[in-house]
Amino acid sequence: MHYTSFLIKYAEIAIKGKNRYLFEDALVSRINQALKKVEGDFKVGKTQGRVNIECLSDYDYDEVTKALSCVFGITGICPVVHVEDEGFDKLSEDVIKYIDDEYPDKDHTFKVNCRRARKNYPMDSQEVNMEMGGRILDAYPEMKVDVHNPDILLTIEIRDDRIYIYSKIIEGPGGMPVGTGGKGMLLLSGGIDSPVAGYMIAKRGVKLDAVYFHAPPYTSERAKQKVVDLAKYISRYAGPINLHVINFTDIQLEIYEKCPHDELTIIMRRYMMRIAEHLAKESECLGLITGESLGQVASQTMQSLAATNEVCTMPVYRPLIGFDKNEIIKISEKIDTYETSILPYEDCCTIFVAKHPVTKPNVNIIKRSELKLADTIDELFKRAIETDEVIVVS
Ligand code: ATP
Ligand code: MG
């Protein structure tokens, strides 16, 4: 079947009242961005309160629908066949051929749904529904009409230029177009959780930057490449991401040398948050995003999260906070990050981890331990920021 356009359905963004056009414009721009990666010429536009993609050249259907299924804001993708208006008899021939191409097996119920945007068409919608229904039944007696719950809802849209025929809806990813919800800084490690957290926040319309804390030579180039690869998967949904790679080795060694070992993870995480917040402010992000989930490990108890959170003034978004690991894994499989996340390269947290980390840290005690870093930490912090390597991932 050769579809000549795709009609894009969106739900949530349609309810935004006066701001509706902002959301539609963002959706159009995200669709254009997604289609740039696909071979072919497309024209994306808003028509009559909907978004329409005209296919101006040959294209690969699977590639196009795959690209569109990563664009947040889309709830449904309808592949459309256009025909010229050459009278009702010709239209019914076209519709009968459309059904044959689309549904080789005719054992279905159907309903004709005519929408008449061109009011001077010689028949009204109801007449088209009745007459077309009759012609379909004549052509395919095995088919049955069901006006309440049809297997096939066959839409015939009569427009000024042409007539549109469609019946299939491919489910879209939902959510809000990226860019409509501000920007956030994702703390992206090589694990399973943080890519999923980034995906979930992007789904709500938030553009992402990311930061990865690298600890060479304790963590390898392969570990870093793994994070770049994960960012690439996220960018399929979230658009281009500026990934900051921060060399965290000296700060980590300093903490290791001066602070009690059972507090290492918490203190290290507090410095990660401080640096992430610094970068976030510089790049106009409105919040930090982590893959933390309550109770998953010692550093993610309520006490630990309170201690980590205490260094931030920005909101910290933790979309996985109430998720079990298997729920997180399901999403990571869906967005294709799982296989990369489980590659066994070392993580900077696991190398300096204590045998028995505190699970209920007391913020005042942690702060007292951090005083031991007073002479050196400002300089190390400054150097870590100065040597920030930014990789644009898209
Ligand atoms: P993940 O799959 O995200 O690695 P995890 O269960 O291993 O999760 P932790 O190592 O405790 O969790 O880290 C909690 C969160 O802190 C991560 O989800 C991530 O947002 C952030 N984080 C941890 N390590 C790093 C790192 N090296 N660089 C950037 N962010 C990190
Ligand atoms: Mg981790």
Side-chain angles (χ1 to χ4, degrees):
M1 176 78 80
H2 187 71
Y3 303 105
T4 38
S5 74
F6 293 89
L7 184 67
I8 300 302
K9 304 219 173 206
Y10 45 87
E12 211 168 337
I13 63 179
I15 59 173
K16 296 288 170 186
K18 278 189 199 144
N19 288 332
R20 176 175 168 147
Y21 78 96
L22 292 175
F23 288 81
E24 288 174 336
D25 288 351
L27 183 62
V28 167
S29 136
R30 285 294 298 119
I31 291 173
N32 272 319
Q33 212 172 41
L35 290 176
K36 265 198 203 123
K37 296 188 179 158
V38 174
E39 221 163 296
D41 253 346
F42 306 93
K43 189 171 152 235
V44 186
K46 298 192 286 182
T47 38
Q48 303 176 352
R50 282 180 300 172
V51 171
N52 198 55
I53 304 169
E54 290 255 12
C55 309
L56 306 175
S57 69
D58 280 346
Y59 63 89
D60 184 294
Y61 174 81
D62 291 335
E63 265 187 21
V64 168
T65 49
K66 197 165 166 230
L68 294 175
S69 68
C70 294
V71 178
F72 291 132
I74 296 179
T75 56
I77 304 156
C78 305
V80 177
V81 169
H82 292 163
V83 297
E84 299 300 326
D85 179 13
E86 292 165 338
F88 188 79
D89 285 339
K90 175 67 171 53
L91 177 62
S92 51
E93 276 171 32
D94 290 335
V95 166
I96 282 162
K97 177 167 183 318
Y98 170 89
I99 292 177
D100 203 28
D101 289 346
E102 200 76 276
Y103 306 98
D105 164 22
K106 302 292 181 298
D107 189 18
H108 296 293
T109 61
F110 75 98
K111 174 186 176 178
V112 181
N113 169 39
C114 174
R115 298 169 61 129
R116 209 174 50 130
R118 175 151 72 80
K119 296 298 175 200
N120 68 356
Y121 192 75
M123 298 161 78
D124 71 22
S125 315
Q126 201 45 35
E127 284 168 340
V128 172
N129 290 343
M130 300 282 289
E131 187 58 32
M132 191 62 79
R135 303 236 180 154
I136 293 169
L137 289 173
D138 288 345
Y140 307 121
E142 326 76 296
M143 294 184 76
K144 285 192 193 67
V145 173
D146 181 346
V147 291
H148 300 295
N149 193 17
D151 301 335
I152 303 169
L153 180 66
L154 179 85
T155 300
I156 299 175
E157 266 189 45
I158 301 172
R159 301 226 188 157
D160 287 336
D161 54 346
R162 278 170 301 181
I163 299 177
Y164 293 33
I165 307 168
Y166 57 91
S167 62
K168 291 207 159 152
I169 299 190
I170 303 156
E171 204 184 324
M176 314 283 276
V178 169
T180 56
K183 188 159 73 164
M185 179 65 71
L186 169 67
L187 282 85
L188 181 61
S189 70
I192 295 170
D193 307 325
S194 45
V196 173
Y199 162 85
M200 289 184 66
I201 291 290
K203 184 171 180 185
R204 300 310 303 162
V206 175
K207 189 170 160 42
L208 298 179
D209 275 353
V211 53
Y212 166 58
F213 296 94
H214 186 41
Y218 304 98
T219 61
S220 65
E221 276 303 302
R222 286 197 305 181
K224 174 175 150 190
Q225 185 56 43
K226 175 178 161 181
V227 175
V228 174
D229 293 343
L230 288 171
K232 260 185 205 152
Y233 282 112
I234 305 170
S235 80
R236 289 211 312 228
Y237 294 90
I241 296 172
N242 292 330
L243 171 65
H244 299 261
V245 179
I246 293 286
N247 187 325
F248 202 51
T249 312
D250 291 344
I251 292 180
Q252 232 168 349
L253 288 173
E254 188 69 3
I255 298 171
Y256 193 75
E257 202 184 302
K258 306 255 172 82
C259 300
H261 283 192
D262 61 346
E263 295 169 8
L264 284 181
T265 310
I266 293 295
I267 295 174
M268 196 182 74
R269 299 204 38 73
R270 281 163 60 94
Y271 276 97
M272 282 188 184
M273 297 303 259
R274 288 177 173 113
I275 292 176
E277 184 167 280
H278 180 95
L279 297 173
K281 283 181 180 159
E282 277 187 342
S283 48
E284 292 173 352
C285 292
L286 299 170
L288 305 179
I289 303 150
T290 76
E292 288 158 318
S293 158
L294 208 46
Q296 195 187 75
V297 284
S299 60
Q300 295 175 32
T301 61
M302 282 190 97
Q303 293 85 346
S304 297
L305 291 177
T308 315
N309 213 81
E310 197 254 344
V311 299
C312 301
T313 57
M314 265 188 188
V316 181
Y317 295 91
R318 300 179 173 91
L320 308 182
I321 200 70
F323 278 40
D324 289 344
K325 196 77 184 185
N326 58 352
E327 294 170 305
I328 301 169
I329 288 174
K330 258 193 217 147
I331 302 175
S332 76
E333 285 171 337
K334 187 177 92 179
I335 64 172
D336 291 334
T337 52
Y338 182 71
E339 293 299 327
T340 305
S341 289
I342 59 172
L343 293 172
Y345 308 139
E346 62 300 317
D347 172 8
C348 69
C349 311
T350 49
I351 288 163
F352 294 92
V353 84
K355 275 211 185 72
H356 301 289
V358 282
T359 54
K360 294 179 184 161
N362 175 313
V363 178
N364 293 323
I365 297 175
I366 297 286
K367 278 180 166 170
R368 215 176 304 146
S369 302
E370 283 182 355
L371 288 178
K372 300 188 178 114
L373 305 167
D375 293 342
T376 48
I377 199 72
D378 288 350
E379 185 53 34
L380 296 177
F381 191 101
K382 202 171 131 221
R383 204 184 319 146
I385 302 280
E386 278 167 4
T387 55
D388 176 15
E389 178 196 2
V390 184
I391 302 172
V392 181
V393 179
S394 62

